[in-house]
Amino acid sequence: MTMEERFAAAVAAARAVATLEEYGRLIEDLRDAAGAGPEALRVGAAATRDADPVVRKTACDLLGAVANQHPALRADAATAVLALEPTEIHPDVLWAMVRALGQTGDRRAVPLLVELARHDDADVRYMVASMLPWVRDDDDADGLAALLRLCRDNEVGVREWATYGLGQLTSADGAMVRDLLWEATTDEDEDVRAEGARGLARRRDHRALPLVAELLQTPEYDVFNQLAAGYLGEASLVPLLLAYAPDEQSAAEALRECDPVRRAARDAFAADLFDALSADRTGVALYGTRCETGLTLAVGDRTWSVEDLLDDTGGDPAEAARRVTADLTA
């Protein structure tokens, strides 16, 4: 079957889609077709100019799948989708455009997504809330303003995804961001409240401490609750983390940050490793970041996770230094 025939079959399936499950099967078929790379890009780009909105929507879904599988084709896929922007008004096509642009991660999409963040259709705003964090960077004030606005949307699903994106997918910080995340902790919806608490915790804001403690005691397992505990690094959270299985990586990482004894052991290992490497070379650095747990060792433009080195060497800084040196000279 040619690519044109495969696409035509996908369009026919798209016309019959009535449930999310059926749409999921359609997306799987398009992912298979996208494996053809340049051929799929060619057919998808041409179909964006079709008069039928079902064809245009399916074309965007195909281009998103191409971008997802072929990093070298992402810019071309984004160009093809953005070519629709001046004239496209159909909500279903706009939804698919936003989804595809999120998969490209192309910064050129930011102005369109900022505009669509005010769209009348809640499904379009929902997709913008889901994808905007993937295309904006932390220096983009317009994108951040749009995301903040979506965090106060009148549709709960939009608020939830926007608050998640702001809290977990960006490192944006400051009084405005924290105030909005704090506001989210009083939302009528429990999922929005949880996203607000976790977003605050990721910025080391200790107003989130009692909220994270409560989340850790909920029956639903959520890795983000454990990560939130790790950001706060509070010893009072240790008993709650110990209730989780010891082989759960996220719980172990959080315990390393919250337990003073484990944290001190990690820090001592990091200091000894830094000293061992600095003894005979320059450009060695050791650092952590506000919105991530753990420590990073850097030598020039190469980096290693201190925690991975600690675990892999049984806590032997001399052996860790030898491994780093071997990596550098390999």
Side-chain angles (χ1 to χ4, degrees):
M1 196 184 308
T2 67
M3 182 57 60
E4 285 81 3
E5 291 171 335
R6 296 187 70 176
F7 182 75
V11 170
R15 295 190 194 285
V17 163
T19 66
L20 284 175
E21 183 179 356
E22 291 171 350
Y23 182 67
R25 288 197 292 269
L26 170 62
I27 290 298
E28 285 300 318
D29 290 342
L30 289 172
R31 285 174 182 158
D32 289 342
E39 269 296 287
L41 175 68
R42 178 185 62 78
V43 170
T48 61
R49 298 187 289 273
D50 197 277
D52 186 337
V54 176
V55 175
R56 298 198 302 277
K57 180 182 184 301
T58 307
C60 290
D61 286 337
L62 176 58
L63 290 168
V66 169
N68 195 43
Q69 294 183 41
H70 304 279
L73 299 177
R74 284 175 184 165
D76 290 337
T79 297
V81 175
L82 286 169
L84 280 160
E85 178 186 358
T87 58
E88 187 58 64
I89 60 172
H90 197 289
D92 290 347
V93 182
L94 292 171
W95 184 94
M97 287 173 62
V98 173
R99 184 175 182 273
L101 289 168
Q103 291 174 291
T104 70
D106 197 300
R107 299 289 183 264
R108 292 175 294 164
V110 171
L112 173 61
L113 269 60
V114 168
E115 177 185 347
L116 293 177
R118 297 183 182 274
H119 198 275
D120 290 340
D121 190 287
D123 289 338
V124 173
R125 299 197 308 276
Y126 175 92
M127 190 52 65
V128 172
S130 302
M131 293 300 168
L132 185 54
W134 298 105
V135 300
R136 67 168 294 276
D137 56 41
D138 285 338
D139 295 327
D140 174 40
D142 290 340
L144 177 61
L147 195 57
L148 293 172
R149 187 167 58 252
L150 290 167
C151 289
R152 292 190 173 108
D153 197 272
N154 57 6
E155 291 289 336
V156 63
V158 177
R159 291 201 306 277
E160 180 188 350
W161 274 97
T163 308
Y164 164 73
L166 176 67
Q168 301 299 325
L169 302 180
T170 84
S171 298
D173 204 356
M176 187 180 299
V177 170
R178 294 190 184 206
D179 287 349
L180 194 147
L181 290 169
W182 178 248
E183 178 184 319
T185 66
T186 62
D187 194 273
E188 63 183 8
D189 182 79
E190 65 177 348
D191 292 329
V192 177
R193 294 196 298 271
E195 294 300 349
R198 292 188 286 247
L200 274 179
R202 188 163 174 261
R203 286 148 181 83
R204 320 278 178 161
D205 190 316
H206 283 256
R207 288 179 294 177
L209 179 57
L211 305 174
V212 171
E214 183 179 347
L215 288 172
L216 287 171
Q217 297 174 76
T218 57
E220 296 82 10
Y221 174 84
D222 194 316
V223 65
F224 288 107
N225 294 338
Q226 298 164 41
L227 292 174
Y231 296 128
L232 294 172
E234 283 284 345
S236 62
L237 298 174
V238 169
L240 300 175
L241 290 166
L242 288 172
Y244 291 90
D247 59 345
E248 289 174 0
Q249 182 178 356
S250 54
E253 291 175 359
L255 277 169
R256 186 173 274 160
E257 300 293 335
C258 293
D259 185 336
V261 175
R262 301 182 201 211
R263 186 170 63 242
R266 186 273 313 275
D267 292 350
F269 169 84
D272 289 343
L273 173 59
F274 177 84
D275 290 343
L277 289 168
S278 299
D280 58 2
R281 70 176 64 244
T282 60
V284 181
L286 190 64
Y287 63 89
T289 60
R290 174 174 290 170
C291 290
E292 302 297 336
T293 58
L295 296 175
T296 297
L297 173 76
V299 181
D301 59 357
R302 298 284 301 279
T303 60
W304 295 260
S305 161
V306 168
E307 288 74 19
D308 287 349
L309 287 169
L310 186 153
D311 293 339
D312 291 345
T313 64
D316 183 345
E319 173 60 22
R322 283 193 289 272
R323 294 194 183 192
V324 170
T325 300
D327 286 346
L328 290 169
T329 56

